[in-house]
Amino acid sequence: MMLGADRKRLTWVLAGLVTLVVVAVIGVVMARTGSDDRRTPTAATGGPSESPSPSPSPSPSPPPGADITGPLNLLLVGVDTRVSVPGWEPHADAVLVLHVPAGLSQAYLFSLPRDLVVDIPAYKPAGYPGGRTKLTHAMSYGSRVPGRPKRPDAAQGYELLRRTVSDYTGLRIDAGAVLTFGGFDELVDSLGGVDIRVDQRVVSRHRQPDGKHRKPGPGVGGYVGPQMVYEPGERHLNGWQALDYARQRYLPGGDYARQRHHQQLIRALIGKILDQDLARQPERVEQVVAALDDALLYVGGRRIVDFAYALGSLSPQAVTLVGLPGASVGRGNAYRGEELTAVGRRFLTQLRAGKADAFLADNPKLKVKS
């Protein structure tokens, strides 16, 4: 399906995490139902069956992912692709890491700036020699296939991005989800919209109040016409509104504010899925899954259902949203990208050491309010 220009530069990772949660909820219910259904056979009269020497009951098989105890690190990537440009290489427009400590009872979700200046390692499959540049380029450089111009490979691009993120954070990445074009707004609409606390006034550059696209125009912003405005407060957003709200970064706080809004939407979507008890409504599950269709690329050594079962006990309240502060790199107009502040880098160190809670208690401003 051909999608509009406002699909670009959106964190499709929202739908990736939702996918994991949907499967997790279904898995937990399936496991419980399976346990309830393993009953002793009864005779036609309804009484217990008689057997002089009953055979021992077989041991129940462990559920998928029963051996996964953590810690886990899931890399969630939203890519900027443009269907109107043949051979357009995917750029990692949103890079989020979900860290689940041992025990799998809580999790931390944080974003890395798309313009974070990092060392990207050499990657032979793409013919990339390595270099120091913006994180967003790891996906595009890694997606290149020698001898096959204008036919990028998103899975190959993810692999170079995974290595880059792992090197930078010091975290082993266990699995990932790459979200490209697909049905983010259809997904939100299939859930009946989402409720979110808009934390600052957000003026859309791309949409009118009625949802129509603003017309291209000259000057700052590149668009003309009335603008959709999201005022602070508790708001109910439909699909196109959630899509539009999530992608705005020309506002106070810039891309860091946009990262915060991504995280808030993730938690809102998780809560919506759990509140609706989708696992007990097969027709609703099919509707939600259909909305994702071609949007999701899952990359992992284990099946997604294994991770889903393992994460089935997580609730939205157990996921701590963390905003890592950063600053621009460069002088004057010579902008090179972004770097995390000392506090942001220190969080990663404490996370690896299992001391994130204590560090966040000492640095409460890092916690993102939902």
Side-chain angles (χ1 to χ4, degrees):
M1 178 175 63
M2 184 68 71
L3 301 178
D6 73 343
R7 302 291 199 216
K8 65 184 180 181
R9 294 190 174 180
L10 171 73
T11 176
W12 293 109
V13 74
L14 301 176
L17 188 56
V18 167
T19 302
L20 290 174
V21 174
V22 169
V23 179
V25 174
I26 295 171
V28 171
V29 172
M30 287 174 57
R32 292 172 180 170
T33 303
S35 176
D36 293 341
D37 286 346
R38 286 191 289 269
R39 297 184 291 269
T40 304
T42 59
T45 59
S49 62
E50 297 180 2
S51 174
S53 56
S55 57
S57 300
S59 301
S61 300
D67 59 321
I68 299 177
T69 58
L72 288 177
N73 298 292
L74 304 180
L75 177 60
L76 309 172
V77 185
V79 300
D80 173 12
T81 58
R82 304 182 186 184
V83 296
S84 61
V85 181
W88 178 266
E89 296 171 351
H91 290 66
D93 192 61
V95 180
L96 291 87
V97 177
L98 181 70
H99 173 76
V100 189
L104 309 181
S105 61
Q106 64 181 131
Y108 304 91
L109 180 68
F110 63 91
S111 303
L112 295 176
R114 66 186 301 277
D115 290 345
L116 185 69
V117 178
V118 295
D119 292 314
I120 301 178
Y123 189 52
K124 188 175 180 180
Y128 178 65
R132 186 169 179 79
T133 184
K134 297 176 182 178
L135 179 62
T136 184
H137 297 316
M139 186 82 188
S140 56
Y141 293 161
S143 72
R144 297 172 181 173
V145 181
R148 202 179 74 180
K150 295 187 177 182
R151 294 179 60 189
D153 185 331
Q156 188 175 284
Y158 164 84
E159 176 57 24
L160 180 56
L161 180 66
R162 181 196 66 77
R163 296 183 186 185
T164 304
V165 171
S166 183
D167 289 348
Y168 182 83
T169 63
L171 299 172
R172 181 198 69 241
I173 303 299
D174 299 286
V178 179
L179 282 300
T180 56
F181 288 110
F184 176 75
D185 53 354
E186 289 88 350
L187 170 66
V188 174
D189 283 336
S190 74
L191 293 171
V194 293
D195 299 306
I196 189 170
R197 184 182 65 83
V198 176
D199 58 8
Q200 66 184 92
R201 190 172 191 265
V202 175
V203 179
S204 173
R205 299 180 68 213
H206 315 100
R207 295 274 194 163
Q208 300 182 49
D210 60 2
K212 293 181 180 179
H213 296 278
R214 298 180 70 215
K215 296 180 180 179
V220 179
Y223 299 92
V224 296
Q227 295 173 273
M228 176 64 183
V229 178
Y230 304 92
E231 298 289 356
E234 300 295 333
R235 305 296 174 197
H236 181 81
L237 305 181
N238 63 24
W240 74 260
Q241 290 169 338
L243 178 84
D244 185 50
Y245 174 78
R247 68 176 297 226
Q248 304 304 319
R249 64 186 178 122
Y250 293 97
L251 45 86
D255 195 54
Y256 294 98
R258 186 175 66 159
Q259 292 173 33
R260 183 174 70 250
H261 297 160
H262 291 166
Q263 295 170 330
Q264 291 169 336
L265 273 172
I266 286 176
R267 181 138 61 178
L269 285 166
I270 294 173
K272 194 64 179 271
I273 285 176
L274 295 179
D275 288 345
Q276 291 192 8
D277 197 12
L278 292 187
R280 299 185 187 276
Q281 305 174 59
E283 71 284 353
R284 294 282 289 113
V285 173
E286 290 180 4
Q287 186 181 33
V288 172
V289 172
L292 294 171
D293 196 17
D294 297 327
L296 173 69
L297 169 64
Y298 169 73
V299 188
R302 297 286 295 264
R303 297 178 304 162
I304 191 171
V305 69
D306 293 342
F307 289 114
Y309 265 80
L311 299 176
S313 62
L314 277 179
S315 68
Q317 293 71 31
V319 180
T320 300
L321 309 184
V322 180
L324 302 182
S328 299
V329 178
R331 295 182 179 179
N333 295 326
Y335 175 76
R336 292 183 52 211
E338 301 289 320
E339 65 178 2
L340 295 184
T341 64
V343 173
R345 296 192 299 272
R346 182 67 174 164
F347 168 78
L348 297 176
T349 302
Q350 296 301 299
L351 187 70
R352 293 195 302 269
K355 301 177 180 179
D357 280 342
F359 186 75
L360 291 174
D362 293 335
N363 300 272
K365 290 184 178 181
L366 295 186
K367 286 189 176 182
V368 175
K369 296 180 180 180
S370 60

